[in-house]
Amino acid sequence: DAGVIQSPRHEVTEMGQEVTLRCKPISGHNSLFWYRQTMMRGLELLIYFNNNVPIDDSGMPEDRFSAKMPNASFSTLKIQPSEPRDSAVYFCASSLTPAGATGELFFGEGSRLTVL
Amino acid sequence: GENVEQHPSTLSVQEGDSAVIKCTYSDSASNYFPWYKQELGKGPQLIIDIRSNVGEKKDQRIAVTLNKTAKHFSLHITETQPEDSAVYFCAAHDGNEKLTFGTGTRLTIIP
């Protein structure tokens, strides 16, 4: 299996621009997660989906962030408009178990976002 | 919600020596405690996990211990090797079905 695939791996953009990060989970996994990693706050859960349905988005920082999962093999995380404080590495992860509860999370290699 | 504290933030050990990373959690309902290893430029990868019904689990050079009463758990790596150099994260899964990560420990193995 190819694992969780994220794109782009690196994104540099200017403040105010729209950013779209993409994720393809492992085939057959029921749950998908978006995490943000920064030096200051570590790994933060932004949102997770179970069977393509958003279950908990309480970690989404503000209305500038939105996530969708139109089908079982694709998800996007969008930031509009982007701000310098959004600079971070964004990880997508998938899991066989609902909410990744007590099973393994498989992470992608991340998308490093820099907002100037 | 759950709060996971992890110490130390950085750790350097001589190759062949042991390394220990400690975590505490706040929610007594937490029942699953995985450890993830993150190599440079990669996403975290599960290396070992423990559930609340056991006190210790071992997998070759890696072991994890859990003290439910004290609400702390630890990762032990014996006979460390250069490839063990990475950032290690502990995590706790609480009753609200969320996995909360610690802040990470950067482990450096000195050849």
Side-chain angles (χ1 to χ4, degrees):
Chain A
D1 201 323
V4 175
I5 299 173
Q6 291 186 245
S7 65
R9 291 295 314 277
H10 302 276
E11 174 91 6
V12 180
T13 190
E14 292 188 347
M15 182 174 63
Q17 296 297 305
E18 178 180 293
V19 173
T20 300
L21 307 178
R22 298 173 177 80
C23 175
K24 177 178 168 52
I26 293 173
S27 177
H29 281 193
N30 301 316
S31 298
L32 182 139
F33 307 79
W34 282 100
Y35 282 88
R36 178 171 67 177
Q37 185 175 38
T38 60
M39 289 294 292
M40 291 298 294
R41 301 173 70 90
L43 271 167
E44 301 174 277
L45 177 63
L46 301 177
I47 185 171
Y48 73 85
F49 296 82
N50 191 32
N51 292 324
N52 313 339
V53 176
I55 302 299
D56 187 340
D57 65 354
S58 59
M60 296 285 261
E62 48 198 273
D63 292 345
R64 297 184 296 107
F65 285 69
S66 62
K68 294 182 179 180
M69 192 165 185
N71 57 61
S73 59
F74 184 65
S75 177
T76 59
L77 178 68
K78 187 174 291 188
I79 308 172
Q80 165 65 17
S82 58
E83 296 182 4
R85 60 192 168 121
D86 302 330
S87 297
V89 181
Y90 292 81
F91 286 101
C92 175
S94 68
S95 173
L96 271 173
T97 55
T102 56
E104 182 172 359
L105 289 181
F106 292 82
F107 284 83
E109 295 196 327
S111 294
R112 180 175 294 276
L113 173 64
T114 302
V115 183
L116 303 175
Chain B
E2 176 65 277
N3 181 46
V4 178
E5 294 191 357
Q6 183 171 349
H7 301 280
S9 57
T10 60
L11 178 62
S12 295
V13 300
Q14 208 71 36
E15 182 179 351
D17 289 349
S18 295
V20 180
I21 302 170
K22 299 181 179 181
C23 289
T24 60
Y25 61 98
S26 61
D27 188 345
S28 56
S30 290
N31 56 15
Y32 173 64
F33 307 91
W35 286 86
Y36 283 78
K37 175 184 181 182
Q38 186 178 21
E39 297 178 342
L40 193 63
K42 304 285 187 181
Q45 185 173 13
L46 180 72
I47 55 171
I48 194 167
D49 56 15
I50 190 167
R51 301 179 193 277
S52 58
N53 59 344
V54 298
E56 184 174 359
K57 184 176 178 180
K58 190 173 181 180
D59 183 3
Q60 299 183 342
R61 297 185 298 106
I62 294 174
V64 57
T65 59
L66 171 64
N67 184 327
K68 286 177 59 181
T69 303
K71 292 208 276 283
H72 67 69
F73 56 113
S74 301
L75 177 72
H76 304 252
I77 306 174
T78 59
E79 300 173 19
T80 53
Q81 301 169 4
E83 54 264 37
D84 295 329
S85 293
V87 179
Y88 291 80
F89 293 93
C90 62
H93 179 266
D94 66 18
N96 292 321
E97 299 193 337
K98 283 190 180 181
L99 196 61
T100 301
F101 284 88
T103 49
T105 296
R106 182 174 299 279
L107 175 64
T108 302
I109 307 302
I110 305 166

